PDB file of all heavy atoms in Angstrom:
ATOM      1  N   THR P1284      64.953  55.599 101.413  1.00  0.00           N
ATOM      2  CA  THR P1284      64.292  56.490 102.361  1.00  0.00           C
ATOM      3  C   THR P1284      65.086  56.550 103.648  1.00  0.00           C
ATOM      4  O   THR P1284      65.276  55.534 104.325  1.00  0.00           O
ATOM      5  CB  THR P1284      62.862  55.985 102.659  1.00  0.00           C
ATOM      6  OG1 THR P1284      62.156  55.830 101.426  1.00  0.00           O
ATOM      7  CG2 THR P1284      62.122  56.947 103.556  1.00  0.00           C
ATOM      8  N   ASP P1285      65.579  57.739 103.963  1.00  0.00           N
ATOM      9  CA  ASP P1285      66.280  57.953 105.230  1.00  0.00           C
ATOM     10  C   ASP P1285      65.316  58.556 106.229  1.00  0.00           C
ATOM     11  O   ASP P1285      64.657  59.551 105.933  1.00  0.00           O
ATOM     12  CB  ASP P1285      67.464  58.903 105.023  1.00  0.00           C
ATOM     13  CG  ASP P1285      68.647  58.220 104.399  1.00  0.00           C
ATOM     14  OD1 ASP P1285      68.507  57.648 103.306  1.00  0.00           O
ATOM     15  OD2 ASP P1285      69.718  58.248 105.009  1.00  0.00           O
ATOM     16  N   LEU P1286      65.244  57.950 107.397  1.00  0.00           N
ATOM     17  CA  LEU P1286      64.441  58.491 108.497  1.00  0.00           C
ATOM     18  C   LEU P1286      65.401  59.137 109.475  1.00  0.00           C
ATOM     19  O   LEU P1286      66.298  58.476 109.992  1.00  0.00           O
ATOM     20  CB  LEU P1286      63.660  57.365 109.183  1.00  0.00           C
ATOM     21  CG  LEU P1286      62.745  56.542 108.283  1.00  0.00           C
ATOM     22  CD1 LEU P1286      62.205  55.349 109.053  1.00  0.00           C
ATOM     23  CD2 LEU P1286      61.614  57.401 107.761  1.00  0.00           C
ATOM     24  N   ILE P1287      65.238  60.420 109.704  1.00  0.00           N
ATOM     25  CA  ILE P1287      66.100  61.156 110.632  1.00  0.00           C
ATOM     26  C   ILE P1287      65.307  61.323 111.924  1.00  0.00           C
ATOM     27  O   ILE P1287      64.243  61.948 111.927  1.00  0.00           O
ATOM     28  CB  ILE P1287      66.521  62.508 110.031  1.00  0.00           C
ATOM     29  CG1 ILE P1287      67.207  62.293 108.682  1.00  0.00           C
ATOM     30  CG2 ILE P1287      67.429  63.256 111.008  1.00  0.00           C
ATOM     31  CD1 ILE P1287      67.446  63.569 107.886  1.00  0.00           C
ATOM     32  N   TRP P1288      65.829  60.771 113.012  1.00  0.00           N
ATOM     33  CA  TRP P1288      65.059  60.635 114.244  1.00  0.00           C
ATOM     34  C   TRP P1288      65.884  61.067 115.444  1.00  0.00           C
ATOM     35  O   TRP P1288      67.071  60.790 115.529  1.00  0.00           O
ATOM     36  CB  TRP P1288      64.723  59.152 114.428  1.00  0.00           C
ATOM     37  CG  TRP P1288      63.356  58.886 114.938  1.00  0.00           C
ATOM     38  CD1 TRP P1288      62.969  58.854 116.253  1.00  0.00           C
ATOM     39  CD2 TRP P1288      62.202  58.586 114.180  1.00  0.00           C
ATOM     40  NE1 TRP P1288      61.642  58.543 116.352  1.00  0.00           N
ATOM     41  CE2 TRP P1288      61.139  58.370 115.068  1.00  0.00           C
ATOM     42  CE3 TRP P1288      61.949  58.475 112.822  1.00  0.00           C
ATOM     43  CZ2 TRP P1288      59.865  58.056 114.663  1.00  0.00           C
ATOM     44  CZ3 TRP P1288      60.680  58.145 112.410  1.00  0.00           C
ATOM     45  CH2 TRP P1288      59.661  57.948 113.334  1.00  0.00           C
ATOM     46  N   GLY P1300      60.669  54.641 114.806  1.00  0.00           N
ATOM     47  CA  GLY P1300      61.533  54.805 113.636  1.00  0.00           C
ATOM     48  C   GLY P1300      62.189  53.498 113.231  1.00  0.00           C
ATOM     49  O   GLY P1300      62.333  53.207 112.042  1.00  0.00           O
ATOM     50  N   MET P1303      59.597  51.478 111.424  1.00  0.00           N
ATOM     51  CA  MET P1303      59.356  52.031 110.095  1.00  0.00           C
ATOM     52  C   MET P1303      60.501  51.688 109.149  1.00  0.00           C
ATOM     53  O   MET P1303      60.273  51.305 108.003  1.00  0.00           O
ATOM     54  CB  MET P1303      59.166  53.543 110.178  1.00  0.00           C
ATOM     55  CG  MET P1303      57.864  53.965 110.818  1.00  0.00           C
ATOM     56  SD  MET P1303      57.703  55.762 110.964  1.00  0.00           S
ATOM     57  CE  MET P1303      57.426  56.201 109.246  1.00  0.00           C
ATOM     58  N   ALA P1304      61.730  51.807 109.616  1.00  0.00           N
ATOM     59  CA  ALA P1304      62.886  51.504 108.771  1.00  0.00           C
ATOM     60  C   ALA P1304      62.886  50.035 108.357  1.00  0.00           C
ATOM     61  O   ALA P1304      63.242  49.710 107.218  1.00  0.00           O
ATOM     62  CB  ALA P1304      64.180  51.860 109.504  1.00  0.00           C
ATOM     63  N   LEU P1307      60.295  49.594 105.510  1.00  0.00           N
ATOM     64  CA  LEU P1307      60.660  50.212 104.235  1.00  0.00           C
ATOM     65  C   LEU P1307      61.687  49.336 103.522  1.00  0.00           C
ATOM     66  O   LEU P1307      62.736  49.027 104.099  1.00  0.00           O
ATOM     67  CB  LEU P1307      61.248  51.605 104.464  1.00  0.00           C
ATOM     68  CG  LEU P1307      60.265  52.669 104.928  1.00  0.00           C
ATOM     69  CD1 LEU P1307      61.003  53.830 105.583  1.00  0.00           C
ATOM     70  CD2 LEU P1307      59.423  53.149 103.751  1.00  0.00           C
ATOM     71  N   ARG P1311      66.428  53.459 105.938  1.00  0.00           N
ATOM     72  CA  ARG P1311      67.582  53.571 106.826  1.00  0.00           C
ATOM     73  C   ARG P1311      67.235  54.584 107.914  1.00  0.00           C
ATOM     74  O   ARG P1311      66.738  55.668 107.622  1.00  0.00           O
ATOM     75  CB  ARG P1311      68.813  54.039 106.055  1.00  0.00           C
ATOM     76  CG  ARG P1311      70.026  54.222 106.956  1.00  0.00           C
ATOM     77  CD  ARG P1311      71.291  54.433 106.197  1.00  0.00           C
ATOM     78  NE  ARG P1311      71.231  55.594 105.309  1.00  0.00           N
ATOM     79  CZ  ARG P1311      72.278  56.133 104.720  1.00  0.00           C
ATOM     80  NH1 ARG P1311      73.475  55.597 104.887  1.00  0.00           N
ATOM     81  NH2 ARG P1311      72.154  57.177 103.945  1.00  0.00           N
ATOM     82  N   LEU P1312      67.498  54.220 109.146  1.00  0.00           N
ATOM     83  CA  LEU P1312      67.238  55.102 110.277  1.00  0.00           C
ATOM     84  C   LEU P1312      68.537  55.779 110.695  1.00  0.00           C
ATOM     85  O   LEU P1312      69.557  55.122 110.876  1.00  0.00           O
ATOM     86  CB  LEU P1312      66.672  54.305 111.455  1.00  0.00           C
ATOM     87  CG  LEU P1312      66.362  55.093 112.717  1.00  0.00           C
ATOM     88  CD1 LEU P1312      65.260  56.114 112.477  1.00  0.00           C
ATOM     89  CD2 LEU P1312      65.974  54.147 113.840  1.00  0.00           C
ATOM     90  N   ARG P1313      68.467  57.086 110.840  1.00  0.00           N
ATOM     91  CA  ARG P1313      69.607  57.869 111.334  1.00  0.00           C
ATOM     92  C   ARG P1313      69.175  58.522 112.638  1.00  0.00           C
ATOM     93  O   ARG P1313      68.299  59.391 112.639  1.00  0.00           O
ATOM     94  CB  ARG P1313      70.010  58.922 110.315  1.00  0.00           C
ATOM     95  CG  ARG P1313      70.532  58.347 109.017  1.00  0.00           C
ATOM     96  CD  ARG P1313      70.822  59.487 108.068  1.00  0.00           C
ATOM     97  NE  ARG P1313      71.404  59.025 106.841  1.00  0.00           N
ATOM     98  CZ  ARG P1313      72.551  59.499 106.339  1.00  0.00           C
ATOM     99  NH1 ARG P1313      73.215  60.431 106.985  1.00  0.00           N
ATOM    100  NH2 ARG P1313      73.006  59.043 105.196  1.00  0.00           N
TER     101      ARG P1313
END
Side-chain angles (χ1 to χ4, degrees):
T1284 305
D1285 282 57
L1286 303 172
I1287 304 170
W1288 220 274
M1303 289 178 72
L1307 290 160
R1311 178 169 58 167
L1312 179 64
R1313 295 177 176 233

